[in-house]
Amino acid sequence: MKGLQRRFHKALYLTMTVTVLALASGCSSPQTDPSQKTIPTDSDQWQDELGQTFEQLPAADQQVLSRYMLRMKLSDAYESGAMPRTTIKQALIQQREYERLHPNNPTGKKSPIVTGETANATAQKYPVALLPIKTSDSDSLNQVKMQFMLSNHGTVPIESFKGTLTMQDDNLEQGKNFNVPLITFDPAIEPEQSGKIVIDSSIEDINVMRAIKNTTGMTIEIKEGTLVLVDDQTIEFGNSLAK
């Protein structure tokens, strides 16, 4: 009789254990997919709201998501307060596609505005020269077709340029500025090659006219502007380049 009771109690114990485990399993919340988490549009909330979710992602996805977030912070959309609302999964897809198209610039980072010694080094890397042109000293007003040569001593081809060039000459009291509209080079200016910048300019100063006839002792510098490379990097020139 006692043996029968022991078997009954043992069976009851096993039944209760299975029942408790089943209930516990049924009450636990289902595992959520971290990639479905929506990224806050306010980057100040990223650390608080995404910290735990970020740790649940595979290491490779963590790196891609980090580059996506950095790219968003550097983008015009972030600066204008128009951050896109998207999930982590969508962000990973977008970032991988962006990196496929821009393998050398995965975060869309722009080069800083060059100043001081960095500016001088950059000016030497992208020098500009004026090609001699024929003019008449007797003319008080001339529509002159100015032709400049932009050289590329960098390592990446130059795609476009827009800005202001300044001409300095010993016979001029102050530099002469030439505004250059957006010019796209086709083909791009390869490293150690040069591309031509052609603009029309009205020149009234006879001393400027004389200077551009003879370029000896003349210097041309990029006073300000934007130079875009084929890998989407940009080099911003500031007023520090002007003498």
Side-chain angles (χ1 to χ4, degrees):
M1 182 66 178
K2 291 181 178 180
L4 181 62
Q5 288 180 337
R6 283 197 297 269
R7 289 195 295 272
F8 174 78
H9 289 156
K10 185 176 181 180
L12 179 61
Y13 174 79
L14 291 173
T15 301
M16 291 177 64
T17 301
V18 172
T19 302
V20 170
L21 291 175
L23 290 173
S25 177
C27 293
S28 63
S29 57
Q31 292 293 326
T32 58
D33 182 357
S35 68
Q36 297 303 318
K37 177 78 172 180
T38 299
I39 300 175
T41 56
D42 183 356
S43 66
D44 293 337
Q45 300 177 11
W46 287 354
Q47 181 64 35
D48 293 336
E49 295 196 20
L50 293 180
Q52 186 174 358
T53 304
F54 185 85
E55 296 298 328
Q56 297 175 7
L57 296 171
D61 287 352
Q62 290 180 9
Q63 295 177 10
V64 175
L65 184 60
S66 295
R67 293 194 293 269
Y68 171 84
M69 291 178 170
L70 179 56
R71 183 165 66 87
M72 289 298 102
K73 277 203 169 190
L74 295 173
S75 69
D76 294 336
Y78 174 76
E79 294 175 357
S80 62
M83 278 286 294
R85 187 172 184 83
T86 185
T87 64
I88 291 177
K89 182 178 181 179
Q90 293 169 330
L92 293 174
I93 294 174
Q94 293 175 20
Q95 182 63 22
R96 287 192 170 98
E97 176 62 15
Y98 182 88
E99 293 182 12
R100 184 184 70 82
L101 297 173
H102 309 277
N104 297 321
N105 190 22
T107 61
K109 184 177 181 179
K110 298 180 180 180
S111 300
I113 294 178
V114 291
T115 56
E117 294 182 2
T118 304
N120 294 329
T122 304
Q124 294 176 9
K125 184 179 292 186
Y126 304 105
V128 180
L130 174 67
L131 297 178
I133 56 177
K134 294 181 179 180
T135 60
S136 171
D137 286 347
S138 61
D139 291 340
S140 60
L141 175 63
N142 287 275
Q143 283 296 125
V144 181
K145 187 175 291 295
M146 308 290 294
Q147 299 188 71
F148 302 91
M149 293 298 293
L150 171 63
S151 297
N152 182 7
H153 295 321
T155 59
V156 181
I158 301 173
E159 182 177 275
S160 66
F161 173 76
K162 177 182 180 181
T164 301
L165 303 178
T166 296
M167 181 180 76
Q168 301 282 356
D169 187 87
D170 293 339
N171 297 319
L172 297 177
E173 294 183 1
Q174 60 182 7
K176 168 66 176 177
N177 292 334
F178 298 95
N179 293 323
V180 179
L182 177 63
I183 294 179
T184 300
F185 300 102
D186 184 17
I189 305 176
E190 296 292 333
E192 302 308 324
Q193 298 294 324
S194 298
K196 188 178 292 186
I197 296 174
V198 181
I199 60 173
D200 290 319
S201 179
S202 296
I203 299 178
E204 302 179 37
D205 190 334
I206 191 65
N207 291 320
V208 174
M209 293 294 294
R210 288 171 177 166
I212 62 178
K213 285 183 61 179
N214 183 0
T215 59
T216 303
M218 177 190 293
T219 59
I220 303 292
E221 294 182 337
I222 301 176
K223 179 179 181 181
E224 58 185 1
T226 301
L227 188 150
V228 180
L229 307 181
V230 296
D231 61 359
D232 287 342
Q233 292 189 69
T234 62
I235 299 175
E236 300 286 345
F237 292 83
N239 289 329
S240 60
L241 284 181
K243 291 183 178 180

